[in-house]
Amino acid sequence: MSTINFANREINFKIVYYGPGLSGKTTNLKWIYGKIPEGRKGEMVSLATEDERTLFFDFLPLDLGEVKGFKTRFHLYTVPGQVFYNASRKLILRGVDGIVFVADSAPNRLRANAESMRNMRENLAEYGLKVEDLPVVLQVNKRDLPDALPVEMVRAVVDPEGRFPVFEAVATEGKGVFETLKEVSRLVLARVGSGA
Amino acid sequence: MVEPSLVLYGALYEEALRVLEEALRETGARYALLVDRKGFVLAHKEALWAPKPPPLDSLATLAAGNAAATQALAKLLGEARFQEQVLQGERMGLYVDEAGEHALLLLVFDENAPLGKVKLHGKRAAEALARLAEEALAHPPKLHLDTEYREEAKALLDELFN
């Protein structure tokens, strides 16, 4: 479902960071924005409330470079994680090519992780999509919390079948951020021309 | 419904550019963009006299997000759609109209462009672009990208993220 612009010889992919509120989706994008060199990124747009909670989405365009004569670009989005912003979350998923699910390692957020995954499945279904049909990477964030749950416990509630690649992360320090993005990008690219 | 990939190329792309150019000429707007509903720019034109535009990616993404939210609001209120949208500041304005189900027309204009003309010719351009988009969706081109593309792209991923 990538967008191809033959005239400008561009291929664009949309990657969405999903997950419960305060799990670190925006922090992932901010880290990426801070580390990607100028010339390989566009402006980062954040539609946030005054207390820096995502209201609609964050957006960051990245240029991978030219591949076989096609400029290849990724548009990264976050959704607002707070439960009552579901209408906005649904809109952001339109035309998605790949998803990073950012789960929170805190024990009191285990249920929020599970609910967010269920919500994502429901919202994808509105576009005729199943989570199994899309490249999805699970990032278990906040591994630096003193009471962080074991990764397997977090995974058990969001991906009990163990289908998605998992990355541990401390997004505030950049740990696991690029690894996660690289993997979802790789999975998205693997579908190009495959008819998926 | 799975979002179809709207691809403009060849004669359809040239025709889209012609429509955008005509819209600029008739309205006096600065920039005209055709974007898909995901917020990607499909085609754009700038008036010769216009200063450097703002980042087009951001413009397209925000307008598409705004249009999606407006559409959701229309549905909440029992309307099939709210069509055109005009946002006006002291000096600059933005006209957004649906170009069919899968694309949007954006016109960025300043205080010298008469709003009536922007709306009239914007509507005409959106209708013409809607027809082109439908045609493009009916005859999607085959994309001949192979494993070589994927391998090269992976190498670039390594370079960018390592």
Side-chain angles (χ1 to χ4, degrees), chain A residues 1-2 75 94 182 192, chain B residues 3 5 38 40 149-150 158:
Chain A
M1 290 192 299
S2 51
H75 281 190
R94 184 172 184 171
K182 189 175 165 187
V192 172
Chain B
E3 186 75 14
S5 196
K38 294 180 268 182
F40 291 114
Y149 173 87
R150 294 194 282 272
D158 288 336

Side-chain angles (χ1 to χ4, degrees), chain A:
Chain A
M1 290 192 299
S2 51
T3 294
I4 303 149
N5 188 328
F6 273 98
N8 294 339
R9 298 195 67 78
E10 285 178 1
I11 302 183
N12 299 299
F13 300 98
K14 179 174 182 176
I15 293 175
V16 175
Y17 282 69
Y18 211 97
L22 293 175
S23 62
K25 301 176 290 296
T26 300
T27 307
N28 265 268
L29 251 64
K30 283 182 175 170
W31 180 270
I32 294 162
Y33 181 74
K35 291 295 173 188
I36 294 287
E38 293 295 335
R40 304 291 289 272
K41 65 184 177 189
E43 282 192 13
M44 181 166 166
V45 175
S46 286
L47 303 183
T49 59
E50 280 184 8
D51 54 352
E52 297 201 344
R53 300 296 302 273
T54 303
L55 178 62
F56 196 173
F57 59 80
D58 304 300
F59 166 69
L60 174 61
L62 294 183
D63 280 345
L64 183 62
E66 196 166 304
V67 187
K68 302 273 283 179
F70 279 87
K71 280 179 268 178
T72 301
R73 306 196 306 168
F74 293 97
H75 281 190
L76 310 184
Y77 286 80
T78 66
V79 298
Q82 294 178 83
V83 172
F84 50 87
Y85 289 139
N86 190 46
S88 305
R89 271 195 297 280
K90 204 180 297 179
L91 298 177
I92 306 302
L93 283 176
R94 184 172 184 171
V96 64
D97 293 302
I99 293 174
V100 173
F101 188 92
V102 183
D104 195 321
S105 297
N108 63 357
R109 300 299 286 163
L110 192 60
R111 186 170 171 179
N113 290 330
E115 283 172 357
S116 181
M117 177 57 84
R118 192 182 64 213
N119 171 258
M120 187 175 87
R121 287 178 179 276
E122 288 168 2
N123 284 340
L124 285 171
E126 298 227 1
Y127 294 107
L129 292 169
K130 288 181 187 167
V131 76
E132 293 78 12
D133 300 333
L134 281 169
V136 178
V137 172
L138 172 60
Q139 182 189 79
V140 185
N141 193 23
K142 304 189 188 177
R143 298 310 298 157
D144 57 337
L145 288 177
D147 56 348
L149 292 171
V151 171
E152 285 314 312
M153 190 180 286
V154 177
R155 186 179 205 180
V157 300
V158 294
D159 178 27
E161 292 169 12
R163 185 177 280 122
F164 314 133
V166 182
F167 290 85
E168 296 188 39
V170 183
T172 49
E173 298 170 11
K175 288 181 188 164
V177 172
F178 273 179
E179 291 85 345
T180 307
L181 176 56
K182 189 175 165 187
E183 178 63 8
V184 74
S185 306
R186 193 185 64 75
L187 293 174
V188 164
L189 286 166
R191 286 157 49 104
V192 172
S194 69

